[in-house]
Amino acid sequence: MSTRRRYLRTAACAACLGAAVAAWAQVARLDDSASPRAQVRGDFSSAQGMDGNLLVLPFGRVEYRLATAPYTGRRARIFYVIPPAVVGLRSPAGLRVDWRGSGAFASGSGRPGDRVQVWNGVVKTPWMNETFDLTLRVDPRELRLPTGAALSFESTFEIETLP
């Protein structure tokens, strides 16, 4: 068998194995109803101009309390999911959400529609508590909010259990 043919066969087997593992992984939304405040509302009175076309809204700390009891003892990944549609925003390019985790979750950033991994490991407790320090970066040219309205959205968390 030629080297090229062996390479193609190995690549095909790896692709099938990757698809099989992905099929075994199960994704579910985590219950965060015990969180003190899930809705993020940007207050433009504290906005700071940056680079002429960008407003920075320091939002502050948001506490999340995630119900992980059904997944205790399982290997998993947790994702921070920013909703794809934000009322008053014309394009996902007009908003970037930055967060800094204060516990086990990774810091990161994303735009509307993004699903960003923030944790990976074995779920050890029935509740996972995390606080994110949020900052919104907004391009005002992409906003069409009614007068006096606030930019708001509710991100969620998803868990992906692994085989």
Side-chain angles (χ1 to χ4, degrees), residues 76-155:
R77 293 187 287 216
I78 295 178
F79 297 85
Y80 184 62
V81 182
I82 303 166
V86 176
V87 175
L89 189 65
R90 293 179 0 164
S91 161
L95 172 66
R96 188 176 90 196
V97 181
D98 296 332
W99 62 90
R100 191 174 64 237
S102 65
F105 286 15
S107 299
S109 67
R111 296 195 180 277
D114 285 352
R115 179 178 183 257
V116 181
Q117 182 176 324
V118 293
W119 185 85
N120 183 26
V122 175
V123 178
K124 296 182 179 175
T125 59
W127 293 95
M128 292 181 90
N129 299 307
E130 180 62 50
T131 300
F132 279 174
D133 187 16
L134 289 176
T135 301
L136 309 180
R137 298 182 189 280
V138 181
D139 182 342
R141 298 170 297 180
E142 295 296 326
L143 282 179
R144 294 295 181 263
L145 289 171
T147 304
L151 178 68
S152 68
F153 61 93
E154 185 174 346
S155 294

Side-chain angles (χ1 to χ4, degrees), residues 15-34:
C16 288
L17 180 60
V21 168
W24 287 335
Q26 294 186 5
V27 177
R29 180 177 170 173
L30 280 171
D31 177 6
D32 64 351
S33 59

